[in-house]
Amino acid sequence: MFKRLFLAVILLGLIGGGIVGFNMFRDKMIAQYFAGMTPPPVAVSVTEAKAVVWTPGVDAIGTANAAEGVDLAVEAAGIVRDVKFDANSKVTKGQLLLQIDDRTEQADLAAAKAGLVLAQANLERSRELQSRGISSTNSLQTDEAAATEARSAVEKLQATLEQKQLMAPFNGTIGIAQVDPGQYVTPGTIYATLQDLDRMRVDFSIPEQEIASVKVGLPVVITSEVGDLTATGSVIAIEPKIDPASRLITVRAVVENPSGQIYPGQFLRVRVELPPEDGVISVPQTAVTSNLYGASVYALRPAKEEGGMQTVEQVFVTTGRRSGENIEIVKGVAAGDQVVTAGQNRLSNGASVTVDNSVQPISAAATASE
């Protein structure tokens, strides 16, 4: 019995030792295989870092306003007799837009003009008699005062009539009528909006750090969120005070709007173009990878031996300004260096690569246009 138990234990030990030995041998062979295996090259796209003429700019969000734009209001109370414009029509300066009933004032004006004629005749007669020594000075002064009073009454009534004939203050596009014929209106009632859409003011705010860069006269480019609208203009004014709450300063630009596609109140993206700089190293933004250690690029390096594979080196860089799809490289990359623009997620320092520029990363602009 004891002999059988002893043989079973020995047999069990041999089986267990064989299994452990096999596992150790297998792990060793796998480790040797991977240690000697060369990973396949990674396909990447590359581009050349170039020294370009850099056009820096200040980007902001703006709101469009008409160069001339007002809400037209009624000056005198009364009944609307006639609305003499159509919505969205072009009007010229001095064109009659709204007529308020003025029949009472017209009658009063006719009476005042008749009184003025009589007062002028009496004044002329008094002057004639005064020159002959017949009339007294007191009578002449009375007639002069009466003539002046009559003339003032006529002018007052003419001014009242003008307040009931509402004219366009400038050329522009009239909006939707807010009143109807027969409606009683009071002073201050808005009856339409008038906007000159040929030239637009664009107000926007920039950080206080950009005050030294932005000057009156610098060109601006505006784009809209819809319709792919682009227009150019220039800075015409800078607010001389910084908002202490937001630390922003307000800037105003004027842009031409001959097509009428920009509307007052519209949301716009604004870029103030600063003077160009020569010799700035620029690469696509897709070439730069950022992490906790900073920004870096993968630079393409030639094969160490003839017939070998090209490799990449991770280079930490100092980045600067951005312009469109490009970013400025202040330090770390020289003009002529080949940098990886796609495929970085599969790379490590010293990895072998093959260059395939047939597929390029999709730009943000192309994505937006789609």
Side-chain angles (χ1 to χ4, degrees):
M1 183 70 182
F2 177 78
K3 183 176 180 180
R4 290 181 179 178
L5 180 62
F6 178 74
L7 292 175
V9 169
I10 292 176
L11 182 60
L12 184 61
L14 290 175
I15 294 174
I19 293 174
V20 172
F22 173 77
N23 288 335
M24 293 177 62
F25 174 77
R26 183 192 63 185
D27 293 342
K28 182 178 180 181
M29 291 297 100
I30 292 174
Q32 288 180 352
Y33 173 78
F34 282 107
M37 184 182 68
T38 301
V42 178
V44 297
S45 64
V46 300
T47 189
E48 180 181 348
K50 299 179 180 179
V52 299
V53 177
W54 183 270
T55 304
V58 178
D59 296 313
I61 301 301
T63 302
N65 295 289
E68 289 184 300
V70 294
D71 289 333
L72 301 172
V74 174
E75 297 183 66
I79 301 294
V80 176
R81 193 171 71 192
D82 197 5
V83 176
K84 294 185 173 295
F85 64 87
D86 296 322
N88 300 113
S89 61
K90 295 283 187 179
V91 299
T92 57
K93 182 178 181 180
Q95 179 179 335
L96 180 62
L97 301 177
L98 190 72
Q99 178 66 62
I100 297 176
D101 186 48
D102 58 356
R103 288 173 294 179
T104 302
E105 288 78 7
Q106 290 284 5
D108 291 341
L109 178 60
K113 286 182 176 180
L116 176 59
V117 171
L118 178 59
Q120 288 286 5
N122 291 337
L123 177 59
E124 292 297 330
R125 185 164 47 252
S126 294
R127 286 174 178 172
E128 180 66 24
L129 294 175
Q130 176 70 21
S131 64
R132 296 179 183 180
I134 300 174
S135 177
S136 64
T137 303
N138 185 43
S139 296
L140 177 61
Q141 290 176 344
T142 300
D143 290 336
E144 286 178 343
T148 301
E149 183 179 358
R151 188 180 302 107
S152 298
V154 171
E155 292 175 353
K156 179 181 179 180
L157 286 168
Q158 287 176 336
T160 301
L161 287 171
E162 289 176 0
Q163 290 180 341
K164 295 198 172 186
Q165 291 182 336
L166 306 178
M167 311 292 187
F170 51 82
N171 300 339
T173 301
I174 194 75
I176 300 173
Q178 303 298 320
V179 296
D180 297 309
Q183 178 180 344
Y184 180 81
V185 293
T186 58
T189 301
I190 303 297
Y191 66 90
T193 183
L194 179 62
Q195 305 288 330
D196 180 7
L197 302 181
D198 292 335
R199 297 176 73 242
M200 303 296 292
R201 291 195 301 251
V202 180
D203 293 335
F204 56 96
S205 298
I206 61 174
E208 60 180 333
Q209 295 87 344
E210 304 289 351
I211 294 176
S213 302
V214 178
K215 305 291 183 183
V216 173
L218 286 177
V220 299
V221 177
I222 66 165
T223 55
S224 66
E225 290 294 287
V226 294
D228 297 328
L229 171 66
T230 301
T232 59
S234 61
V235 175
I236 62 167
I238 301 174
E239 191 71 47
K241 178 184 177 181
I242 298 174
D243 185 347
S246 62
R247 302 300 176 188
L248 299 175
I249 186 169
T250 302
V251 182
R252 173 170 290 176
V254 168
V255 298
E256 299 298 326
N257 186 34
S259 62
Q261 292 181 281
I262 307 175
Y263 293 92
Q266 187 172 353
F267 171 89
L268 298 170
R269 296 190 181 276
V270 185
R271 179 175 176 82
V272 182
E273 295 186 341
L274 303 179
E277 302 174 12
D278 197 10
V280 175
I281 305 300
S282 169
V283 300
Q285 293 189 36
T286 56
V288 180
T289 303
S290 298
N291 52 39
L292 295 176
Y293 301 101
S296 64
V297 300
Y298 282 99
L300 189 66
R301 301 300 185 219
K304 296 181 179 179
E305 58 185 20
E306 186 176 355
M309 300 294 298
Q310 292 178 305
T311 59
V312 291
E313 178 186 357
Q314 187 177 21
V315 179
F316 285 92
V317 296
T318 302
T319 59
R321 299 158 294 182
R322 299 172 187 265
S323 178
E325 300 174 6
N326 295 329
I327 185 170
E328 176 188 13
I329 303 297
V330 179
K331 182 180 179 182
V333 173
D337 287 351
Q338 299 285 329
V339 296
V340 176
T341 57
Q344 300 98 316
N345 59 326
R346 295 177 294 168
L347 293 180
S348 59
N349 195 31
S352 300
V353 297
T354 58
V355 177
D356 181 9
N357 287 332
S358 61
V359 179
Q360 292 289 339
I362 300 176
S363 66
T367 303
S369 64
E370 293 176 358

